Amino acid sequence: MVFHNSKLPKDYKFDYQQKFEEVNIASFDGAILNGLLFKAEKSKGLVFYLHGNAGTLETWGKIAKIYTSLGYDIFILDYRSFGKSDGEIENEDQLSKDISIVYKKVTEKYSQNKIIIAGYSIGSGFAAKLALENNPKALILQAPYYNFLELSSSRVPFFPDFMKKFSLETNLHLPKVKSPIYIFHGIDDQLIPIDNSIRLKKLLKSNVCFYPLKNQEHIGVNENEDFQEQLKIILE
């Protein structure tokens, strides 16, 4: 109910009109996870990007130019069972392990003070946990939820909590993150209401900047002009 995966053939050829390389990394159980690393002309660092619960690198790769044009490489991971990645998603711990292993592998060539972790929607909870476990330059959250267990209860109240495989307690992880945190949320988001970000901001002190985006729904935050203006400042 959480992840709407779609597959790509193993021999699928990505076609993006910019410099990139395909990366395959073995996870803890041998599953091969697929990602794309897009390169800036003169790289200032890396954005490690965790996308939403639908779509694959075939579509998510389209956001790369927004970041590479500002001088940052960007790595985007397809979760297991998405795109060309192996395996099936079973629970939160499994997916967290995947992300941690891929992060450590991809970031071997980048120092921590040049890495920005970013997460969109479902990816925001994993991004917050990853930032807590590491020491990135910054954390960017797009349309995050306060607590996924709470959010899912409001969506499917008939489904008992003890049967849910994901809790994703962003509200517990975020206050422990030492890096600067930037939160972006569409005012018109009906899927994950902006109140989630407002509540997260209240938990934090001096290391957070919150940007409500006017006329913005859940989809398309990366393409939002106000977001791009703030991103340019962040990535300077």
Side-chain angles (χ1 to χ4, degrees):
M1 294 176 69
V2 177
F3 290 92
H4 304 285
N5 66 311
S6 53
K7 299 292 291 182
L8 292 173
K10 289 292 185 179
D11 60 354
Y12 180 84
K13 301 296 184 184
F14 294 103
D15 183 21
Y16 289 110
Q17 302 306 308
Q18 63 180 120
K19 188 187 298 184
F20 73 91
E21 62 182 73
E22 193 168 346
V23 180
N24 291 296
I25 297 170
S27 192
F28 66 96
D29 59 354
I32 302 300
L33 304 176
N34 184 251
L36 293 180
L37 176 62
F38 294 86
K39 300 290 193 69
E41 286 299 322
K42 294 182 180 180
S43 176
K44 295 184 288 187
L46 174 75
V47 174
F48 186 88
Y49 195 93
L50 299 172
H51 67 60
N53 71 332
T56 68
L57 291 172
E58 180 185 23
T59 52
W60 281 100
K62 294 176 182 178
I63 71 170
K65 280 188 177 180
I66 296 168
Y67 295 84
T68 56
S69 66
L70 297 174
Y72 267 75
D73 297 348
I74 177 171
F75 176 84
I76 310 175
L77 171 69
D78 257 346
Y79 308 120
R80 60 172 59 214
S81 79
F82 280 69
K84 297 165 78 170
S85 291
D86 294 340
E88 297 294 333
I89 295 175
E90 298 175 358
N91 54 56
E92 181 179 338
D93 182 60
Q94 173 207 49
L95 201 49
S96 291
K97 286 181 181 178
D98 284 348
I99 292 168
S100 181
I101 289 169
V102 173
Y103 178 81
K104 288 178 182 177
K105 184 65 177 178
V106 172
T107 58
E108 286 176 355
K109 298 179 180 179
Y110 303 84
S111 60
Q112 283 272 13
N113 62 0
K114 293 184 178 180
I115 299 170
I116 294 174
I117 295 173
Y120 197 128
S121 190
I122 191 71
S124 65
F126 290 104
K129 186 173 186 292
L130 189 64
L132 170 61
E133 295 170 347
N134 295 276
N135 188 29
K137 178 180 180 180
L139 171 65
I140 296 176
L141 301 180
Q142 299 169 308
Y145 39 84
Y146 183 82
N147 178 299
F148 190 77
L149 194 63
E150 176 188 278
L151 178 68
S152 62
S153 295
S154 69
R155 295 293 179 181
V156 281
F158 57 87
F159 202 80
D161 286 349
F162 75 88
M163 291 182 66
K164 295 175 182 176
K165 299 179 180 180
F166 296 86
S167 56
L168 293 168
E169 298 169 307
T170 311
N171 60 307
L172 299 184
H173 295 146
L174 216 55
K176 300 174 186 177
V177 173
K178 297 178 181 179
S179 310
I181 300 168
Y182 303 92
I183 301 176
F184 296 87
H185 213 126
I187 292 175
D188 298 331
D189 192 331
Q190 299 300 312
L191 184 62
I192 302 179
I194 194 172
D195 180 62
N196 284 266
S197 285
I198 293 172
R199 293 167 66 198
L200 286 175
K201 181 182 180 298
K202 290 179 179 178
L203 295 176
L204 306 173
K205 297 179 181 179
S206 58
N207 66 327
V208 62
C209 292
F210 172 46
Y211 304 96
L213 301 173
K214 296 179 181 178
N215 303 314
Q216 178 63 55
E217 298 181 352
H218 188 70
I219 303 298
V221 170
N222 283 292
E223 292 75 21
N224 183 284
E225 291 183 2
D226 291 335
F227 165 74
Q228 292 183 13
E229 283 297 316
Q230 293 301 325
L231 181 66
K232 183 177 180 180
I233 295 171
I234 295 168
L235 297 187
E236 283 181 346

